[in-house]
Amino acid sequence: MVNNAGTPTTMQSTSVDVAALFRRLGLNTEQAISGTYNGQWLATSDPTIESFNPSTGDLLARVSVPSAQDVEATIAAAKSAQRELRKMPAPQRGHILRDIRTALAEHVDDLGMLITLEMGKIKAEGRGEVVEFLDVA
């Protein structure tokens, strides 16, 4: 790890094994983290955005930036999906949301820690943001 001044650092200051945290969330920190676009994991090489822990200056991850075409295709796919979901009965849409909520709830502590590290919040606030989201879902 390096901080935003380019100085090597360790994660001992936060006592969190960031690589293990990312692995539990299905993310690989050995390369730039990609995102999902149009339902597919998309790995791009350049450019990347660096995400730092504001409390320590430690580099958390490099995140790939999608191309304009990838974003446009994703928006088009989302609009198409929205048209299809609109036709689906509300209880069926509710089941989908419940499944998403259940999947996120399985990782509440890790997602909360990720928010803590990336936003510089205390642990209880990071976890609280995830719990609040789950309460709404």
Side-chain angles (χ1 to χ4, degrees):
M1 294 275 165
V2 294
N3 65 20
N4 55 9
T7 308
T9 63
T10 66
M11 289 305 295
Q12 291 176 333
S13 57
T14 58
S15 69
V16 173
D17 183 345
V18 174
L21 172 68
F22 279 40
R23 278 192 304 275
R24 288 191 303 274
L25 293 172
L27 302 170
N28 179 0
T29 58
E30 298 301 316
Q31 59 192 18
I33 296 173
S34 63
T36 55
Y37 304 95
N38 195 14
Q40 302 293 317
W41 279 98
L42 177 69
T44 59
S45 56
D46 286 316
T48 59
I49 298 171
E50 293 182 331
S51 177
F52 294 93
N53 178 329
S55 297
T56 64
D58 290 337
L59 176 65
L60 295 173
R62 288 182 180 81
V63 181
S64 296
V65 177
S67 69
Q69 294 84 5
D70 293 329
V71 172
E72 289 172 15
T74 300
I75 291 170
K79 287 179 178 180
S80 175
Q82 181 185 29
R83 286 188 293 274
E84 292 303 313
L85 282 171
R86 209 175 331 183
K87 298 174 190 175
M88 187 181 293
Q92 193 174 355
R93 291 193 309 263
H95 287 297
I96 293 170
L97 290 175
R98 187 183 64 226
D99 291 345
I100 293 169
R101 183 199 184 284
T102 299
L104 290 173
E106 291 173 6
H107 298 284
V108 67
D109 291 325
D110 286 338
L111 291 168
M113 181 53 69
L114 183 59
I115 291 171
T116 294
L117 294 172
E118 189 170 23
M119 304 308 292
K121 294 183 174 237
I122 62 171
K123 190 175 178 180
E125 286 182 3
R127 187 179 191 286
E129 285 206 23
V130 177
V131 171
E132 183 176 357
F133 174 80
L134 294 174
D135 288 345
V136 173

